[in-house]
Amino acid sequence: MMVQNGYIPVVDLLYGCALLICFLIGAPGNACATLYFAPRYQCHSALIYTFININDIVICLMCLPMALPYFTENRHGFLFTSGIFCDMYGILWNVTCRYSIFLVAVLSISRTYTLYFPFWQIRKKVLLGFLVGYIGVLFTQALVPYMRSERYHYYTEYVQCFSLLGDLFLPKSPEFIISYLAFIHLEIILPLFPILISCVMSIHVIRLVKVQPHEENLAARRRRATITIIIFTTLYITFNIPAILFEVLGTVEMYAEGKYGFFNFDHVHRYFRNLVAAISIGINATVNPCLYLLRMNSFRRSTRNTCRRLISRVTMTSMGSGISTPGRNRTLTTTEI
């Protein structure tokens, strides 16, 4: 492929279009999902899904400023030229990517636990405090470089804002840095194990549990909901595990100054890194509402009614009337999510 100024125009165009699609489809799709799950927060799965959807909305919105530079000749940063915006973007991207794997782990583990202990009920206030509290931990961690006067900077080769932490590491030896980064990345790597174990256990239960005739409908709904979570988790692993591994190894290599030779930082490496560590995450956030549409009948009805109300309201407004046609949403049972 033709290379201009170190970039490949055709690939830049494809990357920009992919991120733009994530913004145009993922943001409204996850907004509809949030409106669907939020009123059903009494079910712990719906509460977790609500947090996942809100997190995905933020990721999809952040795809827009990431997409625009790909359509320019020299990847002009546009919004990234603002130092404040770059700081906010770097912190939010750091938090949302780490928070997503935590939410998937909580969803997968809680579902597996309810399969083995069907009468177990988690306290909603405890779960809510746990989910919100972890956001505070992640924001504190992401703000550490900023509190040490290490601002986030826009890097055209990666089309993102990073903080290289500068003098945060004292002494700045490769061994000390790698040890620190290993500790930081534990929160990314460790949840993978309970996620995989939970999926295997859920599949085992689905295959072995014998259903009584009078419980066929209830068991079928529970089985479908569990399979949905397994598919959801599989999609997450498919789109995010390469990003996690690449980010960990790339960060270690960067601070080790090429000592370990994990990567050759040429333009091919940069494009691959941008694909697995940024674009794939946006695609994953966009695919989730599509999964809900395919697997949840009540979500399809709710989305259809929401779209009808929106179209009706826009039509009535354009005609000078504020009257809109109300839609009806069926109450979702806890076995469907």
Side-chain angles (χ1 to χ4, degrees):
M1 293 186 179
M2 182 177 59
V3 179
Q4 295 180 357
N5 300 326
Y7 308 123
I8 306 175
V10 175
V11 180
D12 273 12
L13 181 62
L14 291 175
Y15 279 17
C17 290
L19 289 168
L20 196 58
I21 290 173
C22 292
F23 169 75
L24 295 175
I25 297 179
N30 281 288
C32 289
T34 303
L35 294 175
Y36 171 75
F37 285 110
R40 301 162 172 86
Y41 68 92
Q42 292 300 329
C43 172
H44 71 271
S45 293
L47 180 60
I48 299 171
Y49 271 127
T50 301
F51 275 81
I52 291 175
N53 295 327
I54 294 173
N55 193 70
D56 286 345
I57 289 174
V58 177
I59 291 176
C60 291
L61 290 177
M62 295 174 72
C63 286
L64 179 60
M66 201 190 312
L68 297 179
Y70 281 112
F71 294 109
T72 63
E73 183 176 353
N74 295 315
R75 293 187 179 176
H76 178 65
F78 293 103
L79 296 173
F80 292 122
T81 55
S82 169
I84 296 177
F85 181 85
C86 199
D87 290 333
M88 293 176 57
Y89 186 94
I91 292 171
L92 276 178
W93 185 261
N94 188 322
V95 170
T96 52
C97 291
R98 294 170 184 269
Y99 194 49
S100 62
I101 189 171
F102 168 77
L103 291 173
V104 173
V106 173
L107 177 66
S108 181
I109 294 170
S110 63
R111 188 65 192 186
T112 302
Y113 198 86
T114 55
L115 288 176
Y116 282 89
F117 304 97
F119 298 103
W120 171 75
Q121 291 291 334
I122 187 173
R123 294 182 179 178
K124 303 304 180 298
K125 291 183 179 180
V126 173
L127 178 60
L128 182 62
F130 185 56
L131 297 177
V132 174
Y134 196 74
I135 296 178
V137 173
L138 292 178
F139 267 106
T140 302
Q141 192 178 87
L143 286 169
V144 168
Y146 192 76
M147 291 186 293
R148 293 295 297 266
S149 300
E150 292 297 327
R151 305 292 295 274
Y152 285 79
H153 303 282
Y154 173 65
Y155 292 87
T156 56
E157 59 269 38
Y158 299 114
V159 197
Q160 276 189 318
C161 293
F162 296 111
S163 172
L164 295 182
L165 302 182
D167 296 329
L168 177 64
F169 300 109
L170 295 173
K172 193 176 181 180
S173 64
E175 291 77 14
F176 179 84
I177 293 170
I178 292 173
S179 300
Y180 179 86
L181 291 173
F183 174 77
I184 293 298
H185 288 307
L186 280 178
E187 66 187 15
I188 301 177
I189 299 173
L190 285 182
L192 299 180
F193 296 99
I195 288 175
L196 293 174
I197 294 172
S198 297
C199 287
V200 173
M201 293 175 65
S202 297
I203 294 172
H204 178 73
V205 171
I206 289 176
R207 292 182 61 184
L208 295 183
V209 170
K210 294 182 180 180
V211 180
Q212 301 299 326
H214 65 280
E215 296 179 340
E216 288 183 355
N217 292 333
L218 177 62
R221 290 197 297 269
R222 285 178 175 173
R223 179 187 178 90
R224 186 175 181 84
T226 303
I227 293 175
T228 299
I229 292 178
I230 293 173
I231 297 173
F232 181 90
T233 305
T234 302
L235 286 174
Y236 179 86
I237 292 175
T238 302
F239 283 105
N240 288 267
I241 294 305
I244 292 170
L245 295 177
F246 197 86
E247 196 69 24
V248 171
L249 295 177
T251 306
V252 171
E253 181 71 3
M254 182 182 299
Y255 284 105
E257 299 177 354
K259 175 181 176 181
Y260 298 98
F262 291 135
F263 304 108
N264 177 22
F265 286 88
D266 55 12
H267 67 277
V268 176
H269 157 266
R270 296 189 187 103
Y271 274 106
F272 180 72
R273 185 265 171 205
N274 292 357
L275 174 65
V276 302
I279 298 175
S280 62
I281 295 175
I283 294 175
N284 181 220
T286 304
V287 167
N288 290 338
C290 301
L291 175 63
Y292 305 149
L293 284 172
L294 292 174
R295 299 290 303 176
M296 299 179 181
N297 294 329
S298 54
F299 179 74
R300 286 197 294 270
R301 286 190 288 269
S302 175
T303 303
R304 192 184 304 119
N305 290 335
T306 299
C307 292
R308 286 174 179 173
R309 290 199 301 271
L310 182 61
I311 294 173
S312 176
R313 183 170 299 178
V314 171
T315 303
M316 292 299 180
T317 302
S318 63
M319 296 174 60
S321 173
I323 303 175
S324 61
T325 304
R328 291 180 298 175
N329 290 335
R330 185 176 67 86
T331 301
L332 184 69
T333 61
T334 59
T335 56
E336 292 182 273
I337 53 178

